[in-house]
């Protein structure tokens, strides 16, 4: 069945690790100044984590349960009102983390100097489902599972292609990071992370749109019909008559 962009997830809150500071910062951004009297200690280092969660397999849910799962995307035109035999569901998201050096300036302000930016992007959860009505040693089970693995292959290829672009665009953001002087540490941290989180949100949206486009090329009416006709019509032994959707 179709994964599409299923249960898309944005992990927007950043986790702030402060060198010389303490605690998690959560206050809203406020006025902050770039540079000023803040000393610089070299360029901000960057670490990009491509997230590829282990692939889980679940063969214990019924056709009716698969049809009722939240986030299930619609099939191609002409394949509606059929039986859902399999699903490939993912959650994809992003996160950011900034390590910084914090210096009180003696006048009630703080200089916050970015040291290490860590960003994660990719798949946080991945699960393949095949309806429990299909015996695991049957030919049709193998056909449905093979179809769902096509979706997984599309996901993995897309993430491989996006990784260099993500790294390049984050490098540009990190290169522009300068020390920030502000009335509080959290104001400075929010100012530093604002362009990072903006970029990650934008890329997540672009990624999801491209993923939808590519997955639709797997879930065609012709592919659904091919799987339904495979294995000499074995599918008719296990499910009611009617349209079948993989």
């Amino acid at each position: 069945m179709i994964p599409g962009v299923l249960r898309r997830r944005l992990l927007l809150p950043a986790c702030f690790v402060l060198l010389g500071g303490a605690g998690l910062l959560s206050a809203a951004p406020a006025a902050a100044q770039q540079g000023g009297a803040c000393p610089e200690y070299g360029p901000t280092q960057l670490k990009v984590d491509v997230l590829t969660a282990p692939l889980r397999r679940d063969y214990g849910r019924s056709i009716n349960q698969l049809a009722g799962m939240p986030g299930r995307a619609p099939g191609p035109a002409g394949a509606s009102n059929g039986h859902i035999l399999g699903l490939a569901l993912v959650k994809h998201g992003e996160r950011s983390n900034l390590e910084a050096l914090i210096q009180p300036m003696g006048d009630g302000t703080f200089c916050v100097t970015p040291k290490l930016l860590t960003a994660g992007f990719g798949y946080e959860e991945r699960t393949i489902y095949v309806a429990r009505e299909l015996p695991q040693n049957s030919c049709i089970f193998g056909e449905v599972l093979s179809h769902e693995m096509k979706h997984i292959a599309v996901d993995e290829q897309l993430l491989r292609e996006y990784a260099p672009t993500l790294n390049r665009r984050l490098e540009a953001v990190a290169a522009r990071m300068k020390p920030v002087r502000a009335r509080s540490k959290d104001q400075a941290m929010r100012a530093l992370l604002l362009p990072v989180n903006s970029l990650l949100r934008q890329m997540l949206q672009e990624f999801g749109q491209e993923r939808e486009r590519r997955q639709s090329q797997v879930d065609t009416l012709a592919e659904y019909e091919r799987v339904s006709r495979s294995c000499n019509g074995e599918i008719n032994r296990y499910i009611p008559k009617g349209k079948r959707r993989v």
Side-chain angles (χ1 to χ4, degrees), residues 148-159:
E148 302 310 328
M149 288 303 297
K150 292 179 182 179
H151 289 302
I152 297 301
V154 167
D155 283 341
E156 292 177 348
Q157 176 63 29
L158 179 60
L159 190 57

Side-chain angles (χ1 to χ4, degrees), residues 13 19 25 46 48 53 87 105 144 147 177 201 213 243:
L19 302 181
L25 306 181
L46 174 66
V48 179
L87 290 171
M105 300 305 291
V144 173
H147 172 87
M177 279 186 160
R201 285 193 296 268
R213 187 189 70 81
K243 295 179 181 179

